[in-house]
Amino acid sequence: MPLYLSLIIDAAAFGLVVFGVIVASRRVEAGLSVRRRLRGDSVQTRQPGASSGLVRSQELRNPVLAWVQKTTLQDPAERTALRRDLALAGFDHPSAPAIYVVARFCLAVGLPAALIFLNATRTKPMTGFMLVMIALGLSVVGLIAPRGILDNRVNARKTLLENEFPDTLDLMVVCVESGLGLEGAILRVGTETAESHPRISAEFQMVSHELRAGRTRAEALRNMADRCQSEMLSAFVALLIQTDTLGGSIAQSLRIYSAEMRQHRMLRAEEKAMRLPVLLTVPLVLFILPVILAAVLLPPVLDAMRNFMPVMAHAGK
């Protein structure tokens, strides 16, 4: 049996065993958790000072991920910033920072290892300085790529939230004008837009859960603005808090802000339309203009070659 085929079989068997162990451990852990709840072991969580089961715990139960987070993310400010960026990208699970660190390490080590493995299976493998440089380049890519993907995911999610928000705001205006209070309108909009606008619906449902848990309206709205990091949503939150503090009409404020949002959306569409001629200049110069020049200048060049080449050849004789 060839060496590379044996290595592939061993790697596949190892992967299957690891996958089976992970699945079995999760099944066993879920069963043990259910048994502990049935025995009443969760009474400790209801004691004073203990965390409630309704609030998500930020502690990692996986010992490996807990060790990774403890050893690599020792700075609280760095850990908080990474957790905030992952939450903005949509990964708000407590184990997300540790998984992010593990993914970077695996890519930084796995890509050069895969290159060395593939290079060993070639008939003429690369050696020397070129192999080392390519391996170092792949390692750098493995370290940088997760951060780039995370930033791209954050920007994409922020853009989707801003695109979904005007329609959600219109529905909220309808709910408030029909007689619902602000809490009821937030709950209704979060429920009705779960399929069409899932991201803004999740944020509104989170606000509704926080209001039910006892947070004030201002705190819940500010938490939504902090989670989204969007200027549009921050202005919306500031408007609601100011209107609620001053005792103004929420329906009128939302109606005015909805009209401004429609105007802002129209201006943004016009801005994108105005950028089209500038963006079309690059493909025009690189692809269309050379073809036009070739089509215009090729016949005169061919005529000149047909007329002058015999004369030059006769003069040379």
Side-chain angles (χ1 to χ4, degrees):
M1 182 181 294
L3 177 60
Y4 70 91
L5 184 59
S6 177
L7 292 175
I8 292 176
I9 293 175
D10 293 339
F14 177 76
L16 290 176
V17 171
V18 171
F19 178 75
V21 170
I22 293 175
V23 172
S25 63
R26 290 184 177 180
R27 293 282 183 87
V28 173
E29 184 179 358
L32 293 176
S33 177
V34 172
R35 291 181 181 179
R36 285 195 298 267
R37 292 178 181 178
L38 291 177
R39 289 197 307 264
D41 293 342
S42 61
V43 176
Q44 298 177 356
T45 60
R46 295 191 295 269
Q47 295 177 357
S51 60
S52 174
L54 296 176
V55 181
R56 177 184 293 179
S57 176
Q58 296 297 328
E59 296 181 358
L60 297 181
R61 297 182 179 179
N62 192 319
V64 177
L65 295 179
W67 176 80
V68 170
Q69 181 171 338
K70 183 178 179 180
T71 54
T72 59
L73 299 174
Q74 298 180 356
D75 188 7
E78 180 182 358
R79 183 168 61 251
T80 303
L82 180 58
R83 189 182 298 277
R84 184 182 65 250
D85 293 340
L86 290 171
L88 290 175
F91 307 106
D92 57 348
H93 197 271
S95 61
I99 294 176
Y100 173 78
V101 173
V102 171
R104 290 189 66 187
F105 176 78
C106 292
L107 287 176
V109 176
L111 291 179
L115 172 66
I116 295 173
F117 173 76
L118 294 176
N119 185 49
T121 59
R122 296 179 58 186
T123 56
K124 294 181 179 180
M126 294 185 298
T127 58
F129 181 74
M130 182 62 66
L131 179 61
V132 174
M133 292 303 296
I134 295 177
L136 289 177
L138 289 176
S139 180
V140 172
V141 169
L143 289 173
I144 297 177
R147 187 66 200 185
I149 295 174
L150 179 61
D151 293 338
N152 189 19
R153 181 71 180 265
V154 170
N155 295 329
R157 186 173 182 272
K158 187 184 299 185
T159 302
L160 290 174
L161 282 172
E162 292 180 353
N163 291 335
E164 293 176 356
F165 184 68
D167 298 333
T168 307
L169 184 60
D170 292 338
L171 182 59
M172 192 171 182
V173 171
V174 173
C175 293
V176 173
E177 289 182 346
S178 62
L180 288 176
L182 183 60
E183 290 83 357
I186 291 175
L187 177 60
R188 185 70 176 180
V189 171
T191 304
E192 293 295 332
T193 59
E195 296 183 0
S196 59
H197 302 80
R199 296 162 190 83
I200 198 69
S201 173
E203 295 296 334
F204 274 29
Q205 289 180 4
M206 182 65 70
V207 172
S208 178
H209 293 333
E210 291 183 356
L211 291 174
R212 289 180 179 179
R215 289 186 182 273
T216 62
R217 187 183 299 177
E219 290 177 352
L221 292 173
R222 287 194 183 98
N223 290 337
M224 182 181 69
D226 293 337
R227 287 193 303 268
C228 298
Q229 293 293 318
S230 172
E231 296 181 359
M232 188 180 299
L233 289 174
S234 298
F236 169 72
V237 168
L239 174 67
L240 289 183
I241 294 176
Q242 185 178 7
T243 304
D244 190 19
T245 304
L246 298 177
S249 174
I250 295 179
Q252 184 178 1
S253 300
L254 289 176
R255 192 185 306 110
I256 295 173
Y257 191 72
S258 176
E260 292 180 356
M261 286 300 305
R262 292 193 190 94
Q263 185 178 4
H264 177 73
R265 184 166 53 181
M266 182 63 67
L267 292 176
R268 189 169 56 180
E270 292 178 356
E271 181 183 356
K272 290 183 178 181
M274 295 294 290
R275 287 207 308 262
L276 285 178
V278 180
L279 296 176
L280 289 175
T281 304
V282 176
L284 178 65
V285 173
L286 292 179
F287 301 106
I288 301 177
L289 187 60
V291 176
I292 295 176
L293 291 177
V296 172
L297 297 179
L298 187 59
V301 171
L302 293 177
D303 292 339
M305 292 177 62
R306 189 181 301 111
N307 294 328
F308 289 105
M309 290 299 292
V311 175
M312 294 177 63
H314 181 72
K317 294 180 181 180

